[in-house]
Amino acid sequence: MHPPRPDLVGISVAALALGGFGQLAPSLVGLKVREASAAPRTELSPYDAVGLAELIRSKKITAAEAVEDVIRKIGALNPKLNAVIHNTYDRARQRFKDGVGAGPFAGVPILVKDNATIAGVRLTRGSRAFRDNVPEKTAPFFEAIERAGLVLVGVTNMPELGIIDGTENVLYGATRNPWNLDYSPGGSSGGSAACVAAGVLPLAHGTDGGGSIRIPASHCALFGLKASRGRLLPGGFGAPPWPRLVEAGLSRTVRDTAMYLSVAEDPNTPLPKLGFVSGKAPRRLKIAMNLEGDGGQMPDPQVRAAIADTASLCSELGHAVSERKLPLDETRLHAAARQVASIGVAKLVDATAKDRGLARLEDGFEARAIGVREEAIRQGPFDAQIAEALPVLKEGTAALDRFFQEWDVLLTPIVRSPVYKIGMRDQSRFSFQELEEILRDYVAYTALHNICGTTAMSVPLHWDSNGLPLGSQFAARIGGEATLLSLAYELEEARPWARKKPAIFVE
């Protein structure tokens, strides 16, 4: 079965998941543990994915050694992070026996989020309703990254259906942030982000339907880029009425994401070909800075100071930065997007309940999914809602495109306030409306770029007063990934964030 893939963090109805893991690494032999963080030591963690592939290509290590190293690190760190929920170790070992090919990532291990459609690999979306779901087909995106040589070692945690911005669910529990285990890694790609941030591996899969890559990247001091609508191969099957979910990944270096995008690019994309963007560009950019969230809210003082400093850094690098408001009716635009997204959740819940024979929705789904469904039903016939929403979405997309004809890049916060503690997205703790208001206030900047199809990235340039990361969001017009990647290389050189390590990290 291949259910629709909502993953709609940032747009809920207002701002719309370690059981069964099995045996981990058979042995932790060769891993030295630091008392301060109980993290193992390894010679491979300093390498990014491109660097690891070069070690394998030059025969300094084997693909088997790279994979077994990650398996040992998962075994050592997962009890603390609760990030990896299923392992595919046998599949990985068979893969390097069969040969990993000669692609740019040949032999490099990867973890995928729990919404990846890969034949024979359990896909639950963090939901009890899908606990036994195993796809029979592999989606084109995952065929492409495996052709590039990436070796799947496991599946990472996400919130149920990806419709909150944290990584807590009833089925698997909460994933924790390696910068401070009391805090959330964000969501909905939080399990992948926690593993990369902790040095388990250099690159992991994520998806972004409203901020689900950029928010965890911000929370965990990683680089995360959401590609334009139509840039990459699809990660599932079926066509929603207004596509907004994209596959991508989280990495510690810009070049890993750049290479990852190049291998997953749709050869039939209507956009200008991207390829591998290898470094910064000489062109200076016109950057508009906007601090106002989609509901008119202003950011927390720490976030505001971080974005102001990012703007100063861009100016120091020779870019022209000016503060500007967006010429959009964001209230109307987001309301239309919520209509369409809520209908998608409602259809998924109802179809799954029927297919699984659920006597009550509560037997398979958490409160938020049920609440989103009820909200969609209250709004009237689905076809009429979609017909009403689509012109608004098209109008908003055109308005943002006109804005990007004047400005090369838009700089904003990722979220309104610093990283929150575990439990602040616990659906048993808050009513539907309370959680709705929390999400509406917090997730105020990212969903716009999913709605309008524009590309956007989170760059880890700051840390708050608790020592937790704060990302800066840069966005560009549809097809503008090269602009963002070139700027990211500049920022990475000016503020090399990978030198800074969390409390839980494999040295």
Side-chain angles (χ1 to χ4, degrees), residues 60-388:
K60 292 178 180 175
I61 64 169
T62 65
E65 288 170 330
V67 168
E68 295 298 339
D69 180 70
V70 169
I71 290 173
R72 289 194 296 270
K73 287 184 283 189
I74 292 172
L77 294 187
N78 205 54
K80 287 182 173 290
L81 299 176
N82 189 35
V84 181
I85 54 172
H86 312 302
N87 76 62
T88 57
Y89 300 159
D90 290 343
R91 186 182 191 276
R93 288 167 176 142
Q94 186 60 48
R95 176 82 191 282
F96 58 68
K97 286 179 182 176
D98 293 342
V100 294
F105 286 123
V108 175
I110 192 168
L111 290 161
V112 296
K113 184 177 175 180
D114 188 25
N115 60 355
T117 304
I118 302 173
V121 176
R122 195 186 311 176
L123 181 163
T124 71
R125 304 190 197 290
S127 176
R128 290 164 295 154
F130 294 107
R131 71 167 77 235
D132 299 319
N133 182 55
V134 179
E136 297 176 355
K137 294 171 60 180
T138 299
F141 179 90
F142 301 102
E143 290 179 334
I145 65 171
E146 290 200 293
R147 280 197 304 272
L150 288 165
V151 179
L152 176 62
V153 294
V155 179
T156 60
N157 203 13
M158 64 178 284
E160 184 178 60
L161 307 185
I163 55 175
I164 59 171
D165 67 329
T167 301
E168 305 182 32
N169 59 53
V170 171
L171 185 58
Y172 303 116
T175 296
R176 297 180 178 272
N177 192 324
W179 288 89
N180 185 323
L181 295 176
D182 292 333
Y183 287 79
S184 173
S188 61
S189 304
S192 289
C195 288
V196 176
V200 171
L201 77 180
L203 175 68
H205 163 258
T207 57
D208 196 313
S212 292
I213 284 171
R214 289 160 287 158
I215 293 170
S218 176
H219 282 30
C220 295
L222 300 175
F223 181 69
L225 186 147
K226 182 204 85 69
S228 303
R229 181 182 296 135
R231 167 67 70 195
L232 302 179
L233 289 161
F237 300 95
W242 190 258
R244 52 180 296 149
L245 179 71
V246 296
E247 311 296 322
L250 297 114
S251 62
R252 292 196 297 272
T253 66
V254 176
R255 72 171 181 172
D256 273 0
T257 287
M259 183 64 77
Y260 185 68
L261 294 174
S262 75
V263 303
E265 187 170 12
D266 189 339
N268 298 313
T269 179
L271 305 175
K273 182 172 174 58
L274 178 64
F276 175 55
V277 178
S278 60
K280 57 187 182 179
R283 178 176 170 234
R284 298 300 84 189
L285 304 171
K286 283 183 63 181
I287 300 176
M289 181 180 73
N290 178 51
L291 295 173
E292 189 174 300
D294 57 43
Q297 65 270 61
M298 297 302 287
D300 174 275
Q302 290 193 73
V303 175
R304 184 173 191 142
I307 300 306
D309 182 69
T310 297
S312 295
L313 174 60
C314 291
S315 295
E316 292 168 11
L317 294 171
H319 303 289
V321 184
S322 299
E323 191 162 357
R324 287 290 187 277
K325 283 192 172 185
L326 293 176
L328 298 169
D329 184 347
E330 289 205 66
T331 300
R332 184 166 175 256
L333 178 62
H334 284 266
R338 289 193 297 270
Q339 281 183 286
V340 176
S342 298
I343 289 168
V345 172
K347 288 182 174 180
L348 173 61
V349 169
D350 285 345
T352 305
K354 182 179 179 181
D355 183 65
R356 301 288 193 271
L358 297 178
R360 304 180 311 148
L361 294 181
E362 293 83 353
D363 294 336
F365 294 99
E366 297 182 50
R368 180 146 192 80
I370 296 171
V372 171
R373 169 189 176 272
E374 291 172 351
E375 183 68 20
I377 292 170
R378 277 196 294 270
Q379 297 300 315
F382 290 171
D383 288 347
Q385 289 189 62
I386 291 171
E388 178 185 18

Side-chain angles (χ1 to χ4, degrees), residues 280 313 316-317 461 488-497:
K280 57 187 182 179
L313 174 60
E316 292 168 11
L317 294 171
L461 299 174
Y489 279 116
E490 266 194 273
L491 296 169
E492 184 178 41
E493 183 179 272
R495 298 258 184 98
W497 56 77

